[in-house]
Amino acid sequence: MKTILKATATVGSMTMISRVLGFIRDMVIARYFGASAGADAFFVAFKIPNFFRRLFAEGAFSQAFVPVLADYKEKGGRAAVKQLVDAILTRLGGILLLLTAFGVFGSTLWMWVFAPGFVDDPEKFQLAADMLSITFPYLLLISLVAFSSAILNTYNQFAVPAFTPVFLNLVLISFAIWVSPLLDVPVMALAWGVLVAGVVQLLFHLPFLKRLGLLPRPSLQPNEGVSEVKRLMLPALFGVSVAQINLLVDTVLASFLVTGSVSWLYYSDRLMEFPLGVFGVALATVVLPGLSKKASLKDWKGFEADIDFALRLVLIIGVPATLGLLLLAEPLIISLFYYGAFTEQDVSMSGMSLMAYSFGLLGFILVKILAPAFYARKDMKTPVKIAVAALLTNVVMNLALIGPFAHVGLAMATTLSAFMNAGLLYWSLVKQQVFKPLAGWGKLWLQVSAANIVLISFVFFLRPETSEWLAFSAGMRLTWLLGLVMAAIVIYGLVLWLLGIRSKKVLPSHSSVSK
């Protein structure tokens, strides 16, 4: 358990740096481009390759590749691993080259599929298509980065993959500030920034792979591991990436709404992604290699204990994060984005969708934790069935809620789908007798509930009114926000400590099984 905590802290801290820079990036974009037609066009042009990256590379591919790689590492040694990564690189690279070419030369077709609502505004549609032809090669570059990250994570080198997104944020900030004024269409600088960032991120990884002796080289030699990855990957496409599919469906439907809707959903989703990335994704990144190793060694007690421990961390950290987003939705939007071209209406609209997304944060985190419990055992069918049900639920709820609630209805539909996905994953693990909660959950629920009541009371009574946040200077907003958040974290931690929760006692009676 100490290994999980330490690795999660490492990944979380690196991700924290990236997310903070990501907020600065979004603040710069909001200041320069607001929620304009150009901003809408860029967010769609960036979301499409990013969607495929999360769906194929960080999603289905990683979940299928890591268990196989863990098997090779435990049973075959370094030479077998090198042969596997060489063979995988050749197949993966070929597929990515074809998909990238189709994306670059068929950008108009992709835009018809993913943003059909833009057709009514030919200028915005063409701008988005032109940007997509520039951003699509990012899929090739960042997928290779994800391939490298899977290798590094399997060898417990978590810091480098977690730090890599920092370069995307730094490049986009630089291009927005210094390159956009040089272009006839300033917002195009963001598209070029995405492409450059992909190159920088890939180059950053190469020395670390070389140091491991696992810098891949193309190889056409047959390898059984490739077939196994392919077999596991296809069903994993839905199982691991349903949240991304849901968010993309939101974007497609939002393209039919008033200008600004895509941007409002983007900014609120970015804020929801902060705790999800810093904690949820970090924990999931650490959990999968560990679960895969235990499954390979048939250590089912350790497997169960790791899941239980991860779920306890979700309860302790995920619940206050959800409440914080809900209670501070508009103050967060105002403090980070209410500058330049970003208006009061943008604040209100983004704040409402953020509140809707905040309810789903726990669901999103739980899916990140529970899905690897299936993939580590190479059970792809169960999460696929559940993901399809969740996806259909999201589509139905989108269509039902978009009429009365516009973009907020889309966010709420995604939230409901996430909880359905998480609930069915948990129920299936228990039904398959893979997992059952270990002792101590009842007491932990009471302790966490009491601490969160104190947290809610503190934030609710001390936060200024929205009108006051709007009137504050930029420095005052950030000072208030940071002060309130840091004080809330300290108070929450102090209450947990007074109630008897210690890092070594979250899972006291089972900590030895997972070492």
mmCIF file of all heavy atoms in Angstrom, residues 33 38-39 42 127 131 180 183 185-191:
data_model
loop_
_atom_site.group_PDB
_atom_site.id
_atom_site.type_symbol
_atom_site.label_atom_id
_atom_site.label_comp_id
_atom_site.label_asym_id
_atom_site.label_seq_id
_atom_site.Cartn_x
_atom_site.Cartn_y
_atom_site.Cartn_z
ATOM 1 N N PHE A 33 -9.284 34.791 -26.790
ATOM 2 C CA PHE A 33 -10.296 34.347 -27.749
ATOM 3 C C PHE A 33 -11.690 34.156 -27.143
ATOM 4 O O PHE A 33 -12.651 33.965 -27.889
ATOM 5 C CB PHE A 33 -9.842 33.035 -28.413
ATOM 6 C CG PHE A 33 -8.480 33.137 -29.039
ATOM 7 C CD1 PHE A 33 -7.386 32.519 -28.444
ATOM 8 C CD2 PHE A 33 -8.279 33.856 -30.198
ATOM 9 C CE1 PHE A 33 -6.121 32.602 -29.006
ATOM 10 C CE2 PHE A 33 -7.012 33.959 -30.778
ATOM 11 C CZ PHE A 33 -5.929 33.340 -30.176
ATOM 12 N N GLY A 38 -14.174 31.393 -33.215
ATOM 13 C CA GLY A 38 -12.821 30.865 -33.401
ATOM 14 C C GLY A 38 -12.429 29.902 -32.300
ATOM 15 O O GLY A 38 -11.799 28.865 -32.549
ATOM 16 N N ALA A 39 -12.797 30.236 -31.052
ATOM 17 C CA ALA A 39 -12.505 29.353 -29.923
ATOM 18 C C ALA A 39 -13.281 28.047 -30.057
ATOM 19 O O ALA A 39 -12.735 26.959 -29.828
ATOM 20 C CB ALA A 39 -12.845 30.043 -28.608
ATOM 21 N N PHE A 42 -11.522 25.904 -32.628
ATOM 22 C CA PHE A 42 -10.291 25.272 -32.143
ATOM 23 C C PHE A 42 -10.585 24.119 -31.198
ATOM 24 O O PHE A 42 -9.963 23.048 -31.294
ATOM 25 C CB PHE A 42 -9.401 26.292 -31.434
ATOM 26 C CG PHE A 42 -8.276 25.636 -30.663
ATOM 27 C CD1 PHE A 42 -7.238 25.020 -31.336
ATOM 28 C CD2 PHE A 42 -8.288 25.593 -29.274
ATOM 29 C CE1 PHE A 42 -6.208 24.376 -30.642
ATOM 30 C CE2 PHE A 42 -7.276 24.961 -28.565
ATOM 31 C CZ PHE A 42 -6.234 24.355 -29.251
ATOM 32 N N LEU A 127 -13.083 27.088 -40.908
ATOM 33 C CA LEU A 127 -11.987 27.372 -39.982
ATOM 34 C C LEU A 127 -11.669 26.136 -39.147
ATOM 35 O O LEU A 127 -10.497 25.775 -38.961
ATOM 36 C CB LEU A 127 -12.358 28.544 -39.071
ATOM 37 C CG LEU A 127 -11.341 28.917 -37.980
ATOM 38 C CD1 LEU A 127 -10.003 29.319 -38.603
ATOM 39 C CD2 LEU A 127 -11.890 30.035 -37.094
ATOM 40 N N MET A 131 -8.178 23.947 -39.206
ATOM 41 C CA MET A 131 -7.425 23.693 -37.977
ATOM 42 C C MET A 131 -7.231 22.203 -37.745
ATOM 43 O O MET A 131 -6.154 21.768 -37.314
ATOM 44 C CB MET A 131 -8.157 24.312 -36.768
ATOM 45 C CG MET A 131 -8.147 25.822 -36.743
ATOM 46 S SD MET A 131 -9.121 26.412 -35.339
ATOM 47 C CE MET A 131 -7.931 27.455 -34.551
ATOM 48 N N SER A 180 0.213 34.103 -32.210
ATOM 49 C CA SER A 180 -1.097 34.524 -32.739
ATOM 50 C C SER A 180 -1.104 35.945 -33.313
ATOM 51 O O SER A 180 -1.759 36.176 -34.346
ATOM 52 C CB SER A 180 -2.177 34.368 -31.662
ATOM 53 O OG SER A 180 -1.960 35.238 -30.577
ATOM 54 N N LEU A 183 -0.199 36.119 -37.158
ATOM 55 C CA LEU A 183 -0.983 35.425 -38.180
ATOM 56 C C LEU A 183 -2.189 36.239 -38.612
ATOM 57 O O LEU A 183 -2.750 37.021 -37.833
ATOM 58 C CB LEU A 183 -1.438 34.068 -37.655
ATOM 59 C CG LEU A 183 -0.340 33.094 -37.203
ATOM 60 C CD1 LEU A 183 -0.954 31.779 -36.748
ATOM 61 C CD2 LEU A 183 0.670 32.848 -38.318
ATOM 62 N N VAL A 185 -5.082 34.970 -39.270
ATOM 63 C CA VAL A 185 -6.163 34.413 -38.439
ATOM 64 C C VAL A 185 -5.508 33.997 -37.121
ATOM 65 O O VAL A 185 -4.967 32.887 -37.009
ATOM 66 C CB VAL A 185 -6.838 33.201 -39.118
ATOM 67 C CG1 VAL A 185 -7.990 32.683 -38.258
ATOM 68 C CG2 VAL A 185 -7.329 33.572 -40.505
ATOM 69 N N PRO A 186 -5.517 34.858 -36.107
ATOM 70 C CA PRO A 186 -4.741 34.617 -34.883
ATOM 71 C C PRO A 186 -5.001 33.273 -34.217
ATOM 72 O O PRO A 186 -4.074 32.636 -33.704
ATOM 73 C CB PRO A 186 -5.163 35.786 -33.973
ATOM 74 C CG PRO A 186 -5.540 36.867 -34.925
ATOM 75 C CD PRO A 186 -6.182 36.179 -36.079
ATOM 76 N N VAL A 187 -6.264 32.816 -34.222
ATOM 77 C CA VAL A 187 -6.588 31.591 -33.507
ATOM 78 C C VAL A 187 -5.913 30.371 -34.127
ATOM 79 O O VAL A 187 -5.753 29.335 -33.472
ATOM 80 C CB VAL A 187 -8.124 31.399 -33.443
ATOM 81 C CG1 VAL A 187 -8.685 30.936 -34.782
ATOM 82 C CG2 VAL A 187 -8.516 30.434 -32.331
ATOM 83 N N MET A 188 -5.456 30.471 -35.396
ATOM 84 C CA MET A 188 -4.752 29.352 -36.028
ATOM 85 C C MET A 188 -3.453 29.019 -35.299
ATOM 86 O O MET A 188 -2.943 27.893 -35.408
ATOM 87 C CB MET A 188 -4.451 29.681 -37.487
ATOM 88 C CG MET A 188 -5.662 29.717 -38.400
ATOM 89 S SD MET A 188 -6.428 28.098 -38.643
ATOM 90 C CE MET A 188 -5.184 27.291 -39.648
ATOM 91 N N ALA A 189 -2.906 29.980 -34.550
ATOM 92 C CA ALA A 189 -1.683 29.731 -33.791
ATOM 93 C C ALA A 189 -1.862 28.579 -32.817
ATOM 94 O O ALA A 189 -0.914 27.831 -32.542
ATOM 95 C CB ALA A 189 -1.262 30.994 -33.040
ATOM 96 N N LEU A 190 -3.068 28.426 -32.281
ATOM 97 C CA LEU A 190 -3.325 27.343 -31.333
ATOM 98 C C LEU A 190 -3.196 25.983 -32.011
ATOM 99 O O LEU A 190 -2.676 25.033 -31.427
ATOM 100 C CB LEU A 190 -4.714 27.507 -30.711
ATOM 101 C CG LEU A 190 -4.947 28.785 -29.898
ATOM 102 C CD1 LEU A 190 -6.389 28.844 -29.400
ATOM 103 C CD2 LEU A 190 -3.980 28.865 -28.731
ATOM 104 N N ALA A 191 -3.674 25.880 -33.244
ATOM 105 C CA ALA A 191 -3.569 24.609 -33.982
ATOM 106 C C ALA A 191 -2.106 24.253 -34.239
ATOM 107 O O ALA A 191 -1.685 23.110 -34.027
ATOM 108 C CB ALA A 191 -4.334 24.707 -35.298
#
